[in-house]
Amino acid sequence: MSAAPTPSARGYRAGLILPALLGVVVGTALQLQQASLWAWPAYAALLLTGLVTWALVASRLAALRGAAVLVLLALASVAAGVAGLRGAWLHSNALTAVLEGRDIAVDGVVAAMPQRSDVGLRFRFDVRSAHQGGLPVALPPKIYLSWYGSTPGPSEAPGLAAPQAPAPPPDLRAGERWRMTVRLKAPHGNLNPHGFDYELWLWEQGLQATGYVRVGPHDPTPLRLADTGAYPVERARQWVRDQIFQRLDHRQAAGLIAALVVGDQNAIERADWDVFRATGVAHLMSISGLHVTMFAWLAALLTGALWRRSSRLCLLLPAPIAALLCGVVLAFAYAYFSGWGVPAQRTVLMLGTVAALRWSGRQWPWPHTLLLACVVVLLADPWALLQAGFWLSFVAVAVLFVTDPGSDPAQPHAAGGRLKSLFAEQWVMTLTLTPLTLLLFGQVSVVGLLANALAIPWVTLVITPLAMLGVAFAPLWDLAVWAVAGLLAFLQALAALPFATVSVAQAPLWAAVAGMAGGLLLAMRWPLALRLQGLALIVPVLLWQAPRPAPGEFELLAADIGQGNAVLVRTASHALVYDTGPRFSRESDAGHRVLVPLLRALGERLDTVVLSHRDSDHTGGAQAVLAMQPQATLLSSIEDGHVLQTQRPVTRCTAGQRWQWDGVDFEILHPHVDDYARELKPNAVSCVLRISNARQSALLAGDIEAEQEAILGQRGALLKSNVLLVPHHGSKTSSSDGFLDAVAPRIALVQAGYRNRFGHPAPSVVGRYAQRQVRVFDSPHCGAATWNSAQPDQVRCQRETNRRYWHHLVP
């Protein structure tokens, strides 16, 4: 029989816990920085090497010099190997490039509750078999599909003078097996500075292809084959959501209730999300860690009270342990029924980790406990480290421990005491998390403390219980509507205040860390003189200014917005946006999704918005941009009756308009004032803007076509420019030989969507640029493209400078 470990050996091993936990975090973080994946054997070797090193060091019964460093490196190797192997497995299921854009017959099962919007359905689909041209093909096991509806063919709508509206998609149900024809493409999203990484989201969800269902008049009709009975939880969620919307006429309240019960965040309208963000309560309006933790706390409180009534149960298992376990189990059930979103997963794993430690009887210091929870989350989902919610969750818990070492967020308290301390905790959270919030989002709610003081107890103790109990007794949803309506009125009043939010340029990481330290100092229970020193640490976050071009220079940032135009032009102290990209749906557009976050992150105050013409791929995001920038003037060729005329007075762009900012000249070259009197299509009156500092120049050409290109030459306009925003996204109708010879660009920027249905840029057009040795940068390959007149030969591509292995590498 082997001897028991000595106290010194146990202490030695205990001393290795912290470096081991830190090693997992470090190894995961390093692996996430890879631009491309290695072959899987390399990660397997990392994993094996780390495990062997850890075993050798941990087995020593005497102190080993440098043991902590060795353990940190060993566990970093293990974590990097685990994350890399998972990434390699996901990558092995990627869609083959030759199958992109092909009609493929798939047989599979609807894997989750479909999401309906004004343009159709989006749903996850588990592929069971696939055929292309009658031959079997291999597809990723999980794909993300859209169903936009079907347009009646001639035989379906005989004798109609005008086409009918597309037929709506059928009422898909989770668990149904369907056979349908689809067109797929590799996961590809827009990549912009400070923007949402859609490709990372798809990767984290295991979705290795996106596409749409073919429902044209000449396509095979999608066929429902069977109800498999699979995904019963998703079916139940869908049934509950349908019941909520069938019963409740109050659309806003119904959307919020559906979000709280089944986790359907898409049910909340965009205008309401704007209010929630402005008041700092957005975290309450989805299945967040707070909801799951509160649910676990209530479940533990109730279980403990009932358990103590039975002496037999208490002898079998102590009431505190039973309460803790029941709380975790019920929290898992709630999170799973609510869609098992990433924040809910993270919280359940954290609660489970704490419960396991207590079950084992171990009393770890809070940094060890928090790091262990972090490690469990990262082993389950390495890419969580890149999510804002991950950092907000763990930093918030750490702040509570540091500012009140006697507290334990996982320990149930008496209800009265917990509610009494709520405001104090929220104040500490607001103070210390403000720098981190500014780093992650570039905006913080000034009214957030007041809003959360009411919203947290009202949502968690009134609205959420009513919404959940309404599943069993539907009339309670009617009471929940009244509770939601009152909360919305309160939040809308706060959001309408002119000082409701503060937006600053997103500071670098060092400033945010210093700012959090400053907020922590202010919140500590230390002498006032010491706490006030924290103000100096917060100042860099509040006063940070994004780097700008030098006087006499200018910069172009062609945003990655898909099929459309949107270019940010900046000088030393001025800025304009040329076009605002497309509208994707009633609730989504390029302004809201790309330009507003970009402008907020840069701390940009626009002087002018130029809308080249009325087409929706150029004006789709204008309302969001103009709402964010009330001081900006609007210059455009849109007609008098356009809806944007009601939002902002419009100055008509005409050839000859000139102005100068910081030594940089701006001139409108087209359209001529007489062009407005002619009945021309919108493309023909695109506002053409030339920007020059006498050394370098750029030409933003909108959607002009060959006729307008020729007219510009005939009128003697100064066209020669170093950089050209390719007219009409590279359409065959533009970029004529004479125009390209007159402009003589060295760099051409093409803003077009990946595999767009127009085929932009046309191969013949790309060939004309290649003949003139013009470097062409398009959105699918480059992402957001940045050019600066001070470095005229360089274009910075977001897909190159910030490349990670989950990003799509366009052939």
Side-chain angles (χ1 to χ4, degrees), residues 97-459:
V98 296
L99 294 179
E100 288 191 283
R102 305 290 185 90
D103 285 352
I104 302 174
V106 297
D107 183 325
V109 178
V110 179
M113 178 177 67
Q115 302 291 328
R116 187 175 291 274
S117 69
D118 58 312
V119 296
L121 288 175
R122 302 190 80 177
F123 59 100
R124 304 183 187 201
F125 195 70
D126 285 354
V127 178
R128 293 192 173 180
S129 65
H131 293 79
Q132 198 268 322
L135 299 176
V137 294
L139 293 183
K142 297 179 182 294
I143 60 178
Y144 198 37
L145 295 175
S146 298
W147 192 325
Y148 296 114
S150 57
T151 303
S155 61
E156 297 172 282
L160 290 178
Q164 290 183 344
D171 186 20
L172 291 184
R173 295 280 162 178
E176 291 181 341
R177 183 179 176 187
W178 283 78
R179 180 182 296 130
M180 57 185 69
T181 300
V182 300
R183 282 191 182 176
L184 301 176
K185 64 180 180 179
H188 188 96
N190 302 327
L191 280 185
N192 293 281
H194 311 288
F196 175 67
D197 193 340
Y198 180 61
E199 293 173 36
L200 173 60
W201 181 84
L202 290 171
W203 177 275
E204 193 174 15
Q205 303 295 318
L207 300 169
Q208 290 294 83
T210 64
Y212 63 95
V213 181
R214 297 280 292 168
V215 288
H218 304 295
D219 296 309
T221 302
L223 181 63
R224 181 183 181 274
L225 300 177
D227 188 345
T228 65
Y231 303 105
V233 174
E234 289 296 322
R235 292 176 66 89
R237 294 178 63 223
Q238 190 170 355
W239 179 84
V240 170
R241 183 186 64 179
D242 292 346
Q243 294 301 307
I244 291 172
F245 281 101
Q246 288 174 13
R247 180 176 183 88
L248 304 179
D249 295 327
H250 194 296
R251 178 64 181 80
Q252 289 176 295
L256 180 54
I257 291 171
L260 292 174
V261 176
V262 300
D264 185 6
Q265 296 186 36
N266 292 325
I268 300 178
E269 297 182 355
R270 192 178 83 180
D272 292 330
W273 276 122
D274 291 340
V275 170
F276 299 151
R277 293 189 184 99
T279 53
V281 301
H283 63 104
L284 297 174
M285 307 308 169
S286 58
I287 307 301
S288 65
L290 178 62
H291 292 104
V292 176
T293 303
M294 184 65 71
F295 191 85
W297 172 66
L298 290 173
L301 201 65
L302 181 61
T303 301
L306 295 175
W307 200 273
R308 290 183 181 90
R309 292 179 177 271
S310 171
S311 57
R312 180 177 300 178
L313 289 176
C314 288
L315 289 174
L316 180 66
L317 189 68
I321 298 298
L324 189 64
L325 293 178
C326 186
V328 173
V329 170
L330 290 180
F332 167 77
Y334 173 48
Y336 192 74
F337 181 78
S338 302
W340 198 232
V342 172
Q345 294 178 35
R346 186 167 55 239
T347 304
V348 170
L349 289 172
M350 291 172 65
L351 291 173
T353 302
V354 173
L357 277 177
R358 289 191 175 160
W359 176 273
S360 67
R362 289 179 171 85
Q363 297 292 328
W364 282 16
W366 71 260
H368 293 63
T369 303
L370 192 62
L371 267 176
L372 178 61
C374 175
V375 164
V376 171
V377 170
L378 292 182
L379 290 176
D381 178 13
W383 304 282
L385 196 63
L386 302 173
Q387 307 297 334
F390 173 90
W391 292 101
L392 289 172
S393 297
F394 281 101
V395 171
V397 175
V399 165
L400 286 180
F401 274 122
V402 171
T403 56
D404 187 6
S407 70
D408 185 349
Q411 175 68 40
H413 297 283
R418 186 63 178 163
L419 290 175
K420 186 180 295 184
S421 64
L422 181 65
F423 188 83
E425 290 180 357
Q426 187 60 35
W427 161 248
V428 171
M429 291 288 190
T430 300
L431 196 60
T432 53
L433 293 185
T434 291
L436 181 59
T437 303
L438 289 174
L439 172 69
L440 296 172
F441 306 112
Q443 175 179 287
V444 69
S445 174
V446 176
V447 298
L449 180 62
L450 176 60
N452 278 282
L454 174 68
I456 288 177
W458 192 249
V459 172

